[in-house]
Amino acid sequence: MSEMNRRQWLGRVGAATAAGALSEAAPGLAQVKSPEGAGKMKLELSEFQPKSMLHAPETKVERARFPVIDIHTHLSFRAKSVNGVGLGDKVEFLASPDSVLPIMDRKNIRVMVNLTGSSGSGLNEAIDKFQKPHPDRFVTFTEPLWDQSARPDYGKVQAAAIESANRAGARGLKVLKTLGLYLRERVTEGPLVKIDDRRFDSMWEACGSLKMPVAIHVSDPEAFFLPTDRFNERFEELNNHPDWSFHGKDFPSNAELLQARNRVLARHPKTQFILLHVGNDAENLPYVSECLDRFPNTSVELGARIGELGRQPRRSRSFVDRYQDRILFGTDAVPNGTDTPQQVFVDALYEIYYRFLETKDEYFDYAPAPIPPQGRWRIYGIGLPESILQKVYHGNAARLLGLTV
Ligand SMILES: [Zn+2]
């Protein structure tokens, strides 16, 4: 709702209330008919946009204090997908370097890592479009050949594909939540393939020996595994995107998925894993800490989880302090991703991340949207010192990717 509409709407509500009769003229509002609630207004949750009356200072952080490597972005994606499984090499682009570079320059983003760079000819195209003309600004990761995964010789084929992707210029491997939640024994049909299935062992090993970090997304927010009902803290988000729910059907639990991932981490100690979205359990930082302690071959990334970190600022602050050498800046940014405001690649998104990391501001929105898209709460900055900011913004990622910033 625009500011104008909101005012008109509030005006109408006021007039209706004053007249003592709420009518359809006020969207989302209706008089409660039950005897105990007589006279009370009803308001649709989706219409509720409370404005905070808190007089809290607002620090505008237009540029990051230090150059940034955004290790989690999506500038391209596989063109074909069936039942959640990306198939074939063909890529589609969400942006061009010319459309992205001005925002990067304004926001002090030195490097963007395009994780979803596909494979084979699609990977070459993605590298040609971004990385080749701007080798100091873009990095590309490759993705597994999911469509080959039912072949008996898949292990060999996939390891060879990693080697040729590396020769083509890919700096790492991205594994989407496809593995564990969508990929099936007959690729798009049959039982779900387990994350620690042995057929992937040679892929994890190839990444280790080629020093290509694996950026892995496993599972999803805890609330996505619970019924979409009035007790679910992400009710509106799941109601808007019913296909994001992993409750019921044949889906494993969140804990089972993370345990299977952990068996992979244990089995491939020479491979570096970037556990995306704060280890995919930002709601449970003690558990993420446990994983980081158990598996020295891991680091975590922040993408689309400052809503979680920012609502527990004291715990987050000590978490970042403790693991300051293993935390990477990432946003999960998607150019034109208006459907997911917490990821849309715009100036305002980066300003929120910078404000969260650099200031001690209180109670602000974690996404550039009128309604908090990942749960109705606001966040608090953690005010990191410069020594840690430098590591989180670029130092840790540069080390992992072998870059100089
Ligand atoms: Zn992502």
Side-chain angles (χ1 to χ4, degrees), residues 179-199:
L179 184 56
L181 288 169
Y182 297 114
L183 184 71
R184 294 177 180 274
E185 286 296 342
R186 295 189 301 283
V187 184
T188 58
E189 281 165 28
L192 286 164
V193 173
K194 299 252 185 326
I195 295 167
D196 58 336
D197 192 288
R198 290 281 180 185
R199 82 187 74 181

Side-chain angles (χ1 to χ4, degrees), residues 7 31 37 67 73 214 230 235 253 293 385 397 399-400 403:
R7 259 188 270 125
Q31 236 172 344
T73 75
V214 178
R230 68 196 178 109
F235 172 82
S253 69
D293 291 341
R399 199 176 55 244
L400 209 53
L403 301 174

Side-chain angles (χ1 to χ4, degrees), residues 16-322:
T17 313
L22 278 163
S23 68
E24 291 74 48
L29 284 171
Q31 236 172 344
V32 178
K33 292 285 187 292
S34 65
E36 64 274 20
K40 280 188 193 163
M41 291 182 284
K42 256 194 168 178
L43 174 63
E44 287 286 333
L45 183 56
S46 60
E47 299 285 340
F48 187 49
Q49 294 183 23
K51 288 210 158 177
S52 169
M53 292 295 107
L54 192 70
H55 292 242
E58 179 184 343
T59 316
K60 191 143 169 83
V61 189
E62 286 189 40
R63 282 175 70 77
R65 185 100 45 96
F66 299 99
V68 166
I69 297 177
D70 187 342
I71 199 148
H72 188 168
T73 75
H74 301 283
L75 301 174
S76 59
F77 63 96
R78 276 199 167 115
K80 191 176 170 198
S81 160
V82 176
N83 297 342
V85 183
L87 303 173
D89 292 340
K90 201 172 179 317
V91 282
E92 266 171 37
F93 291 99
L94 295 162
S96 65
D98 289 347
S99 65
V100 167
L101 282 162
I103 297 186
M104 292 173 69
D105 292 338
R106 282 201 296 275
K107 297 293 123 190
N108 204 10
I109 304 163
R110 196 63 220 149
V111 179
M112 269 177 88
V113 181
N114 177 21
L115 290 182
T116 34
S118 190
S119 47
S121 59
L123 173 70
N124 291 337
E125 235 186 287
I127 289 174
D128 285 348
K129 193 175 172 87
F130 288 96
Q131 196 174 307
K132 280 221 174 113
H134 306 280
D136 55 337
R137 306 304 298 276
F138 296 103
V139 164
T140 317
F141 275 33
T142 187
E143 296 176 84
L145 312 169
W146 302 125
D147 53 0
Q148 311 284 309
S149 60
R151 286 172 62 156
D153 60 346
Y154 170 70
K156 238 189 199 160
V157 170
Q158 183 59 68
I162 296 291
E163 279 158 33
S164 76
N166 181 256
R167 281 194 299 275
R171 295 297 259 280
L173 173 73
K174 166 71 195 274
V175 177
L176 293 164
K177 66 186 168 202
T178 304
L179 184 56
L181 288 169
Y182 297 114
L183 184 71
R184 294 177 180 274
E185 286 296 342
R186 295 189 301 283
V187 184
T188 58
E189 281 165 28
L192 286 164
V193 173
K194 299 252 185 326
I195 295 167
D196 58 336
D197 192 288
R198 290 281 180 185
R199 82 187 74 181
F200 302 107
D201 280 354
S202 56
M203 173 176 82
W204 310 126
E205 284 300 307
C207 289
S209 55
L210 293 164
K211 303 238 173 314
M212 292 167 75
V214 178
I216 186 164
H217 176 159
V218 160
S219 187
D220 246 348
E222 291 194 12
F224 288 14
F225 293 81
L226 299 173
T228 305
D229 60 16
R230 68 196 178 109
F231 300 110
N232 195 310
E233 67 174 355
R234 321 264 300 231
F235 172 82
E236 286 172 290
E237 187 181 22
L238 289 166
N239 204 25
N240 290 336
H241 307 272
D243 54 318
W244 291 4
S245 171
F246 298 113
H247 173 67
K249 296 187 193 154
D250 61 343
F251 294 121
S253 69
N254 178 54
E256 284 168 332
L257 290 164
L258 295 175
Q259 282 158 12
R261 176 201 68 189
N262 290 353
R263 288 191 289 273
V264 172
L265 305 179
R267 215 189 281 156
H268 305 283
K270 292 195 182 103
T271 306
Q272 283 295 325
F273 290 89
I274 301 166
L275 310 178
L276 298 171
H277 307 298
V278 194
N280 267 111
D281 209 359
E283 300 92 320
N284 190 351
L285 290 181
Y287 179 73
V288 180
S289 304
E290 218 181 283
C291 294
L292 284 162
D293 291 341
R294 262 181 75 195
F295 307 111
N297 53 331
T298 59
S299 47
V300 299
E301 172 271 347
L302 306 176
R305 292 297 180 275
I306 57 167
E308 294 299 341
L309 297 177
R311 66 167 164 162
Q312 44 178 334
R314 290 184 290 274
R315 196 184 279 279
S316 295
R317 177 60 222 271
S318 41
F319 176 84
V320 176
D321 217 49
R322 177 146 179 223

